[in-house]
Amino acid sequence: MEVSPEPALTAGREIAKLSFGKAAMVEMSKLVSLCKRRGFVFPSSEIYGGLSSCWDFGPLGVELKNNIKRAWWQKMVQEREDVVGLDSSILMHTQTWVASGHLDSFADPLVECKSCHLRWRADEVKDGRCPSCGGELTEPRLFNLMFKTFMGPVENEAAVVYLRPETAQGMFVNFQNVLRASRKKLPFGIAQIGKAFRNEITPGNFIFRTREFEQMELEYFVKPGEDEKWFQYWLEERLNWYVELGIKRENLRLREHLGKELAHYAKACYDIEYRFPMGWAELEGIANRTDFDLTQHSQHSGENLSYFDEETGERFIPYVIEPSAGVERSALAFLTEAYDEEVDEKGEVRVVLRLHSKLAPVKVAVLPLSRNEKLVPPAREIAAELRKDFMVQYDDAQSIGRRYRRQDEIGTPFCVTIDFQSLEDNQVTIRERDSMKQIRVPIPELKNTLSAKLEGEDFSVLPPGGSYWLGF
C-alpha cells in the first residue's frame, strides 16, 4: 500500500491558519431549542433542576447516536478484514490506570476565584482574572479528571476503582487475548464503542464537552518503522469519513499537537477540528501512541504483550495508531452541518435538517392526506410493512403541509403520501426532503424504491410504473 504523506498534512497546516472568529453556520441556541423541542436531547434530571453537563438523548437523539455508531462500526470494522471488535468493562483493575499513567498525569491545572469561588481550567483563563466576576485567582493546582468509586460494601483504599476515562486501555490489556482468538497478523486493529467518564472542570457548549460520553476508538497495531505511514493513512481515512457523511471539507481542518500539548504517550497527534457554533474545536484525535501502552502494561502486569513475526522471526512490541472520536461531538457536528433555514414564497421560514440518509433518525414518514376513514387503514398498513426495513413515523395530525415541515425539521429524507387517487391506482407519492420534489410510484415498488433512494440513487430515477408528480 502506498500512502502519500504530504497532501492531507500540508492542507491541514494551511487550513489551521483560518481565524477562529469566522462566523458560525448556526447559533447554538437554535440547535439546543430544536433538540429539546423535537426530542433529540433533553437536560438530564430536568424535573429536579438538571445536572451540570449531563444530557439525556430522546427518541430522535438515540436514533441519531445509534446511526452514527452504526456508520462508524461499518466503516471501521465490518468493511475491513484487519479490524475486530471488543466490548470491555467500564470498571478495570486499578493497576491499569497506574500503568497507563492516568493516576499520575491525567489531570488539568485548576484555579479558583477568591471572590466568587468558581473554578476554571488555568489554560482557559485570560489576564489572570475570573471570567465570571473579574476577581483574583488562586495559583494553579492539578485536578485529577477520573471519577473515583468503591467496589464492594467497604469504602476503603483497597476497594477503590475508577470509571474509565477512555476505552483504549481495555483494548491494550486484551491485546494477547484478541490476538490469540482472532489469529490476526500485523497490521491489525481492535475497535470499541463505549462509555467513558471525565470529571471535567469546565464542561459546556451543550453536548460538546460532557462528563459522561461515548467514545468510538480504534487501536491499530503496526510494526515499528511503519507507524508514520499508517498514521498518515488513518488521518486521511478519518477525515474522509466525515466528508462522506455530509460535512463540507471547508468546515474541517487538521491541527497538529506541538510541544507541551503533545500527550506523554504520543509521538505525534493531530486533531480533526470542526467549525462548531462556538468556533473551531476538536472533533476527533488521531495519535501515534508508539509502544508506550503495551510496554507499560507488560512491565506492570508481568505479562508478555509482545508480537512474534513469523515471517521475519522477530519479536517486538507493536506501535499503535489511535483514531479516537466522540459520539456526542460527532452528533453535534452533524446537526450543525445539517441545520438549514429557507424562506418560502409566503415569507415563512422552513427549517430543514439535511442529514445524510445513513444518519437520519427517521428514514420514512407515512402520511395519509387526511384522517378520512378510507385513507387511514391503507396508510397504516403501508407504515407497518415499511417498519420491517426502515425506521418509520406515521403522522396524520394537522395539514399535510405542516406534517411535511415537521419531518423536514427532524431530517426525514422521504415522506410517503397516501391520497384518494391511491385508492384507485394503487400508487403513492414520495416527497424528497431537500428538493421537495415528488414522484409517484406503485405500492408494490415502494420498498425497493425507498431502499434505492436511501442508498443514494438519484431521486429523478423512476421505478417501473413510476411517474413525476406536481411539476417535478
Side-chain angles (χ1 to χ4, degrees):
M1 182 201 70
E2 294 184 0
V3 178
S4 173
E6 286 306 310
L9 297 185
T10 303
R13 294 190 185 107
E14 291 174 351
I15 294 171
K17 297 176 183 177
L18 292 175
S19 170
F20 271 66
K22 188 170 181 177
M25 291 168 286
V26 57
E27 296 174 7
M28 184 72 84
S29 60
K30 289 187 176 182
L31 282 180
V32 174
S33 174
L34 172 67
C35 287
K36 172 73 182 298
R37 186 174 68 255
R38 291 304 186 197
F40 282 92
V41 184
F42 306 130
S44 180
S45 315
E46 187 176 19
I47 62 173
Y48 293 106
L51 185 62
S52 176
S53 191
C54 293
W55 302 92
D56 298 334
F57 284 77
L60 296 182
V62 72
E63 293 297 331
L64 175 61
K65 283 183 67 177
N66 285 342
N67 290 341
I68 291 170
K69 290 185 285 186
R70 191 176 294 115
W72 186 90
W73 196 264
Q74 179 179 342
K75 189 70 173 180
M76 302 293 281
V77 182
Q78 182 180 331
E79 295 179 1
R80 301 187 65 95
E81 190 178 0
D82 57 349
V83 177
V84 296
L86 183 74
D87 185 6
S88 64
S89 174
I90 288 174
L91 300 176
M92 302 181 70
H93 196 290
T94 304
Q95 281 299 116
T96 302
W97 309 116
V98 175
S100 68
H102 282 83
L103 276 180
D104 292 331
S105 60
F106 193 62
D108 280 341
L110 172 73
V111 293
E112 182 175 339
C113 177
K114 295 180 180 179
S115 300
C116 67
H117 300 290
L118 288 177
R119 294 172 178 175
W120 309 89
R121 283 175 50 148
D123 59 353
E124 293 182 349
V125 174
K126 297 179 181 179
D127 305 322
R129 312 299 294 183
C130 175
S132 179
C133 72
E136 184 182 354
L137 300 172
T138 63
E139 290 296 315
R141 60 186 179 89
L142 290 179
F143 173 77
N144 195 285
L145 301 180
M146 287 199 295
F147 280 99
K148 182 179 180 180
T149 187
F150 300 91
M151 180 174 283
V154 181
E155 295 188 6
N156 56 30
E157 284 303 307
V160 169
V161 291
Y162 297 89
L163 302 185
R164 67 183 180 194
E166 63 180 20
T167 66
Q169 299 306 319
M171 291 179 271
F172 294 133
V173 300
N174 276 292
F175 171 72
Q176 286 293 0
N177 287 333
V178 173
L179 189 62
R180 283 192 291 264
S182 66
R183 298 179 290 111
K184 294 293 182 184
K185 298 184 183 300
L186 291 188
F188 82 96
I190 304 174
Q192 180 168 203
I193 299 175
K195 289 276 190 178
F197 306 83
R198 295 179 185 178
N199 196 10
E200 297 279 2
I201 300 168
T202 53
N205 286 319
F206 193 28
I207 57 174
F208 175 79
R209 179 179 285 120
T210 58
R211 293 187 171 101
E212 173 189 347
F213 54 96
E214 278 190 283
Q215 288 184 308
M216 305 180 291
E217 290 194 307
L218 170 70
E219 306 305 330
Y220 196 74
F221 301 94
V222 303
K223 186 176 181 179
E226 297 182 357
D227 51 302
E228 293 184 6
K229 175 183 70 174
W230 285 107
F231 180 71
Q232 171 60 30
Y233 169 84
W234 283 111
L235 269 179
E236 295 178 356
E237 281 288 299
R238 296 305 304 142
L239 194 63
N240 289 337
W241 184 76
Y242 292 103
V243 175
E244 289 169 4
L245 290 176
I247 292 184
K248 296 183 180 66
R249 182 61 182 84
E250 58 264 30
N251 291 327
L252 296 165
R253 71 181 187 184
L254 293 172
R255 186 182 68 82
E256 185 178 11
H257 287 211
L258 299 171
K260 293 182 179 180
E261 188 183 12
L262 198 62
H264 64 279
Y265 54 74
K267 175 181 176 181
C269 184
Y270 273 80
D271 287 343
I272 296 176
E273 293 191 331
Y274 177 71
R275 198 198 308 263
F276 286 100
M278 66 282 186
W280 288 99
E282 179 190 354
L283 176 59
E284 175 169 342
I286 296 95
N288 181 344
R289 297 182 72 124
T290 68
D291 59 359
F292 175 84
D293 298 278
L294 292 181
T295 298
Q296 287 291 104
H297 287 302
S298 291
Q299 293 174 352
H300 282 77
S301 68
E303 295 291 325
N304 184 358
L305 299 181
S306 64
Y307 175 85
F308 180 71
D309 191 328
E310 295 178 354
E311 293 184 2
T312 65
E314 296 177 276
R315 181 172 290 279
F316 53 85
I317 301 288
Y319 271 36
V320 179
I321 309 301
E322 178 193 73
S324 176
V327 178
E328 290 81 2
R329 286 192 186 185
S330 296
L332 182 58
F334 287 124
L335 286 169
T336 301
E337 189 74 23
Y339 186 93
D340 193 14
E341 294 181 354
E342 294 179 345
V343 180
D344 63 19
E345 62 277 2
K346 297 179 181 179
E348 297 179 355
V349 176
R350 173 186 179 238
V351 176
V352 190
L353 275 186
R354 303 186 190 277
L355 289 167
H356 191 285
S357 60
K358 284 187 176 182
L359 304 181
V362 177
K363 307 302 185 189
V364 182
V366 176
L367 317 173
L369 188 62
S370 69
R371 283 181 170 173
N372 184 281
E373 60 183 8
K374 293 183 179 181
L375 297 180
V376 169
R380 288 195 176 278
E381 185 178 330
I382 289 172
E385 186 63 28
L386 292 178
R387 283 194 184 100
K388 297 175 182 178
D389 295 274
F390 315 110
M391 186 59 65
V392 172
Q393 268 196 9
Y394 175 89
D395 189 2
D396 59 12
Q398 299 184 308
S399 70
I400 192 69
R402 286 183 178 273
R403 283 179 278 162
Y404 282 150
R405 290 292 190 266
R406 282 201 291 267
Q407 296 301 323
D408 291 343
E409 197 172 32
I410 66 173
T412 305
F414 300 106
C415 291
V416 173
T417 304
I418 296 87
D419 55 25
F420 289 102
Q421 187 174 335
S422 302
L423 303 178
E424 300 174 5
D425 62 10
N426 203 37
Q427 294 197 356
V428 295
T429 59
I430 302 176
R431 173 188 180 269
E432 197 265 337
R433 177 196 65 207
D434 294 343
S435 67
M436 296 186 287
K437 292 181 177 180
Q438 299 183 48
I439 58 175
R440 197 159 181 87
V441 303
I443 292 176
E445 297 291 336
L446 180 58
K447 185 180 294 186
N448 288 340
T449 301
L450 289 170
S451 294
K453 303 306 180 192
L454 288 167
E455 287 297 320
E457 181 183 76
D458 192 280
F459 190 64
S460 63
V461 177
L462 295 173
S467 60
Y468 300 123
W469 193 249
L470 296 180
F472 185 94

